[in-house]
Amino acid sequence: MRRAGRVVREVLELVRGHVKPGATTLDLEKAAEARLAQLGVKAAFKGYHGFPCVLCTSINSEVVHGIPSSKRVLKEGDIVSVDFGVVVDGYYGDAAITVPVGRIDADTARLLAATEASLQAGIAVVKPGATLGDVGAAVQGVVEREGFSVVRDFVGHGIGAQMHEDPQVPNFGEAGRGMKLRAGMVIAIEPMVNAGRPDVMVLDDGWTAVAKDGSMSAHFEHTVAVTASGARVLTE
Ligand code: MG
């Protein structure tokens, strides 16, 4: 799973380098696809429940599951969330980043920083004996202290020989509640955070989830192994 995680990280950093005003989300998709072909690695999302691409690219108020397109041109001040997974020798890795396009306004920069910090806060409590409620409460605490909202309709997940395995890993909850983590488990922690209200809706394409109130939305994700000595982040 660490090998899958390394590929996920390499491709996400490659894609980050292609984010600039004037680029389309299909340009990002093509860059990722070309590198995967060089590596001989299979993308996890393409074909998953019929999803058409290797990347999910979600701009501004799009929360997750946006479809790369030649018609979606990035412009200065936008943010684009890129979610990406692979399978290597039967084991999955999954991660996401939200990238600013050129210069972004201060509130949006604060949204990105808070979302990334909430992911780190969730990772920091991972150890054998900690609960999923501990993880969710840590994420939610950071987000709400900054005045933002955790999306409830999508959650993190167990990951291993399948991309999505039990248990669900909510980005909200109460410390001490929920399943206890054990060494050897691997979970994907993936806060999706709206600047406004947490409500989302899915567009007519059947995939793209957007913030109902049109506010900006950010998404960061890591695949995280639970070890005897705490979290090991497999996608860094
Ligand atoms: Mg995921």
Side-chain angles (χ1 to χ4, degrees):
M1 293 189 74
R2 175 59 174 150
R3 286 165 55 207
R6 277 185 201 281
V7 174
V8 169
R9 175 55 39 197
E10 184 197 326
V11 172
L12 280 175
E13 294 309 319
L14 174 81
V15 168
R16 185 199 303 275
H18 282 76
V19 170
K20 56 175 186 281
T24 70
T25 51
L26 188 66
D27 294 335
L28 308 183
E29 167 78 8
K30 284 182 171 163
E33 255 192 327
R35 186 63 185 135
L36 283 177
Q38 283 175 341
L39 294 168
V41 169
K42 190 175 172 327
F45 299 175
K46 193 167 184 171
Y48 186 82
H49 294 286
F51 190 78
C53 292
V54 304
L55 300 180
C56 295
T57 52
S58 307
I59 301 172
N60 295 341
S61 62
E62 295 170 356
V63 178
V64 285
H65 306 158
I67 301 171
S69 164
S70 61
K71 298 191 183 101
R72 301 301 304 277
V73 182
L74 300 173
K75 60 180 199 303
E76 183 95 19
D78 286 346
I79 55 174
V80 59
S81 298
V82 182
D83 193 352
F84 177 65
V86 300
V87 54
V88 173
D89 290 342
Y91 288 92
Y92 284 78
D94 186 6
I97 53 176
T98 299
V99 185
V101 184
R103 290 176 63 91
I104 58 174
D105 68 57
D107 282 346
T108 307
R110 203 165 55 83
L111 174 69
L112 266 54
T115 307
E116 195 164 16
S118 76
L119 171 57
Q120 292 303 333
I123 292 168
V125 302
V126 167
K127 63 179 183 189
T131 69
L132 290 173
D134 294 340
V135 175
V139 171
Q140 183 178 12
V142 170
V143 170
E144 294 183 352
R145 258 198 306 283
E146 288 291 326
F148 301 130
S149 324
V150 169
V151 169
R152 306 301 206 270
D153 291 13
F154 299 98
V155 294
H157 49 94
I159 178 168
Q162 302 292 328
M163 183 163 60
H164 293 134
E165 297 184 352
D166 287 338
Q168 293 197 338
V169 181
N171 301 299
F172 52 91
E174 272 179 62
R177 304 289 293 268
M179 179 190 279
K180 269 192 180 149
L181 298 174
R182 295 199 310 261
M185 289 179 172
V186 185
I187 56 176
I189 306 175
E190 51 174 322
M192 288 145 272
V193 176
N194 291 352
R197 302 276 313 150
D199 314 76
V200 301
M201 60 183 186
V202 175
L203 299 183
D204 287 342
D205 64 15
W207 284 106
T208 313
V210 302
K212 235 179 188 168
D213 65 3
S215 64
M216 288 287 206
S217 187
H219 181 203
F220 285 86
E221 175 179 21
H222 272 307
T223 296
V224 180
V226 184
T227 77
S229 55
R232 182 172 172 206
V233 180
L234 301 180
T235 45
E236 70 184 0

